[in-house]
Amino acid sequence: MIHELYANKSSFKKIRFNRGINIVLAEGDDNTENSRNGLGKTTLIHIIHFCLGGNPNNTYLPEETFRDWEFTICIDIFNEKIYAKRSFNEMSIIIVEGNFDNLPLKPTYSDEMQNYFYTLNQWKEVLGNSLFGLKIENEFKFKPTFRKIISYFIRRDEDIKKIPFKTSATHKKIDESNCTSFCVGLDWKLMSKYKEYKDEVKKLNENFSNLKNIYGSKGQLVPEMNRLKKDLIKIKNDLDNYRVHESYRQIEKSADILSKEIQELIEKTIFLNKKIDIYEESIKEEKIDDINVEEVYNEINFYFPENVKKTIKESKEFHKNIISNRTNFLKTEIQSIKNELILINREIERKSNKKAEYLEILNNFGALNEYNNMQKYYAEQKSEYESIVSIIKQFDEITNKKNKLKIKILDLESRFQINYDENISHLNSLINIFSDNSSYLYDVPGDLIIECSEKGFEYNVDIPRINSTGKTKMIIFCYDLMLLENFVDYNYIDFLIHDSNIFDGVDSRQYASALNLIYEKTTKFDMQYICMLNSDSIPKNNLKFNTEDFIVLELNDNAIENSLLGFEF
């Protein structure tokens, strides 16, 4: 139980709590609307959460306002009365006092400060272990924590939702499921693993879809992989048999030069042969027959004088000499050309032989840059091949992982039912407690529905045939009281705290019945109930007890000093 709550400021109203019902009463001017608001009822709940490791709500406990404040709570931990002080200046440290012998996790002693302390995480671990039997379960991604579960027992305004299983807007569906399973005694670890496996399958499906959208299906990739593999074998074989000549390019260049030179020589031989033909033809044309000019003229009775005959003879001799000399010159030229052709043909033969040697080298060897280009191309093709192999491997790995997860999920689905069946007796007792609680308020039994399906444990609550405005809040009231009774039975948490809004909109009859039920339950099971009530809404005429006997703190709006904090902010 909670014994005390106080602060390091005298303006704060120190509170001593008792077993049974504890009422923090807000008095006000009945003629003034909402005069009981702002007195500190809800702030008190946030202070208790702060002392129990919660983050301060900036609306109710702004850090700039409470910078030099310290709050101390006295609470039973492992049946020991422990005082725990937490300040806004050093929120990560909780200073503790008391007997720590029964505590499994001992606090650390500070020689400098001469006190014992827990870190914030250690403090939450101790509270979770003591109040709920929570263990550290680091291997689980989704798990109930002390801060999540304590919200079922210290309901803030934002914790009162349409259903009792959700205590915070930040709680995910898996948080509701895990915390509820833990609270009713079912194996939350099954739900945690189921969610983890389902998330993995979802992620794998997304990865599979992304691969398919980018690269196509596995069936489309396999033919491309096979083609590349075949090409790689051929290129690799060509590379292995490739012979590199260091002077390949120079030889190739020399062979090209020889080809041009040989062509030029051939063209020269053609020219020279034509020249010989012309010279030989000239020789033939310049052979003149030995014609007797004098006889020709005699036939026509024309006779030359002796002096003319002498001149003709001389002319004939001169002409013969010219023809003879020119013929001899042409013959000499022809011979000279033939000699030159012999040399040219020899040069053609020599160059042709050299070119043949070069071509032989070029046929049997390759250039280094070509070899490098082949290697580069091979590397590119190999990289593409390996990329496709890797993508296909990813397809296969995703499929294999999904198949393994499907097996794990099927196993979990069977274990859900086994765990449910093993705890059916305990679940029925909780269902009966909830039914009894709701019947006490409405004369109609409510339903706490706990089901098991292939998706895990599912929860719902309802009070059939009741349509009152406050029905939802009374369902939460009945559920919380059921949880408290369940944990008290196992010697764990024994207190429940509700803000006044748990009764907002509730008919006075049900309001009174709820308080009467609390009175009976706390008396019977030695439990503690702390509630914030507005004086003008308490249905005193229908109560089985006097509320004034259970008031632990009275707040009013007569003066600011009479509020919880003693000041406004």
Side-chain angles (χ1 to χ4, degrees):
M1 65 174 283
I2 298 175
H3 296 277
E4 291 182 68
L5 181 68
Y6 55 89
N8 63 334
K9 304 293 182 179
S10 60
S11 63
F12 182 81
K13 304 296 184 291
K14 182 176 181 177
I15 313 173
R16 288 186 174 88
F17 298 101
N18 308 303
R19 290 280 177 185
I21 297 177
N22 294 262
I23 298 175
V24 175
L25 187 67
E27 290 280 3
D29 186 351
D30 291 339
N31 296 319
T32 304
E33 186 177 2
N34 298 326
S35 66
R36 292 168 179 80
N37 292 338
L39 297 181
K41 303 189 303 297
T42 302
T43 299
L44 175 59
I45 290 180
H46 283 276
I47 291 172
I48 295 173
H49 269 293
F50 178 74
C51 291
L52 299 183
N55 295 325
N57 183 295
N58 196 53
T59 300
Y60 296 97
L61 297 173
E63 293 184 38
E64 63 274 10
T65 301
F66 291 88
R67 188 175 295 108
D68 58 346
W69 280 66
E70 297 174 347
F71 290 102
T72 301
I73 192 170
C74 180
I75 185 172
D76 287 335
I77 299 177
F78 292 105
N79 298 317
E80 296 290 348
K81 188 181 291 187
I82 302 297
Y83 288 83
K85 179 171 66 178
R86 189 182 184 196
S87 70
F88 278 80
N89 278 331
E90 189 56 77
M91 288 191 287
S92 61
I93 297 297
I94 288 82
I95 298 172
V96 291
E97 295 179 9
N99 182 10
F100 311 124
D101 293 343
N102 293 329
L103 275 61
L105 178 60
K106 304 295 190 295
T108 302
Y109 183 75
S110 171
D111 292 326
E112 180 183 356
M113 303 301 295
Q114 295 187 345
N115 57 27
Y116 288 91
F117 70 90
Y118 284 113
T119 65
L120 180 59
N121 286 335
Q122 289 174 336
W123 177 235
K124 289 187 285 189
E125 180 183 342
V126 170
L127 290 171
N129 195 354
S130 173
L131 300 181
F132 302 112
L134 268 176
K135 307 295 183 183
I136 300 298
E137 306 282 0
N138 291 325
E139 67 271 27
F140 291 92
K141 182 178 179 181
F142 307 102
K143 53 183 176 290
T145 65
F146 168 72
R147 289 302 315 158
K148 291 174 183 176
I149 296 176
I150 193 63
S151 295
Y152 291 96
F153 297 85
I154 310 176
R155 294 269 186 179
R156 292 157 293 197
D157 179 58
E158 62 267 28
D159 296 334
I160 299 178
K161 306 297 180 183
K162 293 182 179 179
I163 57 173
F165 315 116
K166 187 177 180 67
T167 63
S168 172
T170 61
H171 280 192
K172 300 177 181 178
K173 188 68 177 178
I174 185 62
D175 293 324
E176 298 176 37
S177 178
N178 278 347
C179 290
T180 303
S181 297
F182 175 83
C183 288
V184 301
L186 290 174
D187 192 351
W188 62 268
K189 298 176 184 177
L190 298 178
M191 293 296 297
S192 179
K193 281 298 180 184
Y194 184 81
K195 168 66 173 172
E196 188 176 332
Y197 294 156
K198 281 291 187 179
D199 284 352
E200 286 184 38
V201 169
K202 182 180 178 181
K203 186 176 181 180
L204 289 171
N205 285 334
E206 289 175 354
N207 293 341
F208 193 94
S209 179
N210 290 337
L211 284 174
K212 188 174 181 180
N213 290 336
I214 296 172
Y215 303 105
S217 67
K218 177 184 174 182
Q220 292 171 320
L221 291 173
V222 170
E224 178 68 9
M225 178 189 69
N226 292 337
R227 182 190 64 77
L228 285 170
K229 184 178 181 181
K230 183 178 179 181
D231 290 346
L232 283 172
I233 293 173
K234 181 180 182 303
I235 298 170
K236 184 66 168 61
N237 184 61
D238 291 342
L239 283 171
D240 291 341
N241 296 319
Y242 198 93
R243 299 170 64 193
V244 178
H245 198 289
E246 295 180 357
S247 303
Y248 182 93
R249 287 302 177 198
Q250 184 59 43
I251 293 172
E252 186 179 48
K253 185 178 180 181
S254 298
D256 290 340
I257 293 173
L258 283 173
S259 295
K260 292 179 181 178
E261 291 177 347
I262 292 170
Q263 183 61 35
E264 290 174 356
L265 290 173
I266 291 173
E267 290 175 355
K268 190 173 182 178
T269 59
I270 294 172
F271 171 75
L272 292 176
N273 282 318
K274 286 184 178 180
K275 195 173 182 181
I276 290 173
D277 292 340
I278 293 171
Y279 286 178
E280 288 179 343
E281 185 65 30
S282 295
I283 291 173
K284 290 180 181 179
E285 290 178 353
E286 291 183 356
K287 279 184 178 182
I288 300 175
D289 294 337
D290 189 12
I291 300 173
N292 192 332
V293 178
E294 185 178 356
E295 290 180 357
V296 174
Y297 278 92
N298 287 336
E299 288 180 0
I300 61 172
N301 297 317
F302 182 86
Y303 297 95
F304 292 103
E306 284 300 324
N307 59 338
V308 173
K309 288 181 180 181
K310 182 180 180 182
T311 302
I312 291 174
K313 184 178 180 182
E314 289 174 351
S315 295
K316 287 174 65 177
E317 289 298 325
F318 176 75
H319 183 67
K320 285 181 180 180
N321 287 334
I322 290 175
I323 295 299
S324 176
N325 289 336
R326 178 168 178 79
T327 300
N328 291 334
F329 170 78
L330 290 174
K331 288 180 178 179
T332 301
E333 284 296 307
I334 289 172
Q335 188 59 48
S336 175
I337 291 171
K338 288 181 177 180
N339 291 337
E340 185 178 357
L341 283 171
I342 291 172
L343 295 176
I344 290 173
N345 287 329
R346 288 176 182 173
E347 185 66 13
I348 289 173
E349 184 179 1
R350 184 185 70 80
K351 290 182 181 293
S352 296
N353 291 336
K354 190 64 178 176
K355 178 183 175 182
E357 293 176 8
Y358 288 161
L359 292 176
E360 182 67 20
I361 293 173
L362 295 177
N363 287 332
N364 295 324
F365 292 88
L368 181 59
N369 62 334
E370 289 181 354
Y371 180 76
N372 291 336
N373 289 336
M374 286 178 64
Q375 283 189 317
K376 182 180 178 182
Y377 179 70
Y378 177 79
E380 291 172 350
Q381 295 296 92
K382 185 178 181 182
S383 176
E384 184 178 351
Y385 169 78
E386 291 174 347
S387 176
I388 292 177
V389 170
S390 175
I391 295 166
I392 292 175
K393 185 178 179 181
Q394 290 180 56
F395 274 115
D396 292 339
E397 288 176 350
I398 289 173
T399 301
N400 291 335
K401 287 180 180 178
K402 283 174 61 179
N403 290 335
K404 291 179 181 179
L405 285 170
K406 287 178 182 178
I407 295 173
K408 291 181 179 180
I409 290 172
L410 286 173
D411 177 60
L412 280 177
E413 289 173 353
S414 63
R415 291 169 63 187
F416 282 136
Q417 189 64 50
I418 293 172
N419 184 249
Y420 181 85
D421 293 340
E422 289 174 346
N423 291 278
I424 191 64
S425 177
H426 175 67
L427 296 176
N428 285 333
S429 68
L430 296 181
I431 291 170
N432 291 333
I433 292 173
F434 180 83
S435 179
D436 292 342
N437 290 345
S438 57
S439 295
Y440 195 99
L441 271 62
Y442 290 99
D443 297 328
V444 176
D447 296 328
L448 170 62
I449 303 168
I450 304 176
E451 296 180 307
C452 179
S453 70
E454 62 179 15
K455 295 182 179 180
F457 308 123
E458 298 176 356
Y459 307 96
N460 201 358
V461 284
D462 191 22
I463 301 178
R465 302 188 301 279
I466 299 297
N467 296 311
S468 67
T469 305
K471 171 185 172 181
T472 297
K473 294 182 178 180
M474 288 299 94
I475 286 176
I476 294 173
F477 177 87
C478 293
Y479 179 81
D480 292 352
L481 194 56
M482 177 210 71
L483 289 184
L484 181 62
E485 187 174 337
N486 177 49
F487 276 92
V488 166
D489 194 41
Y490 289 94
N491 199 31
Y492 286 126
I493 188 171
D494 60 356
F495 61 85
L496 178 64
I497 302 176
H498 281 150
D499 201 352
S500 59
N501 64 343
I502 192 73
F503 299 111
D504 287 349
V506 178
D507 293 342
S508 60
R509 179 177 175 275
Q510 279 72 46
Y511 191 166
S513 296
L515 291 177
N516 288 332
L517 179 60
I518 281 291
Y519 176 71
E520 293 181 10
K521 291 278 187 178
T522 54
T523 302
K524 179 179 180 180
F525 297 105
D526 196 26
M527 301 185 301
Q528 183 182 52
Y529 183 71
I530 301 172
C531 57
M532 320 297 149
L533 300 180
N534 292 321
S535 61
D536 61 334
S537 63
I538 300 175
K540 296 181 180 180
N541 295 332
N542 295 318
L543 294 180
K544 296 180 179 180
F545 63 97
N546 186 358
T547 57
E548 294 181 1
D549 296 336
F550 297 92
I551 297 174
V552 295
L553 178 65
E554 187 172 333
L555 307 173
N556 63 66
D557 61 350
N558 294 334
I560 192 62
E561 293 80 9
N562 294 328
S563 64
L564 177 68
L565 298 172
F567 73 98
E568 288 183 322
F569 63 90

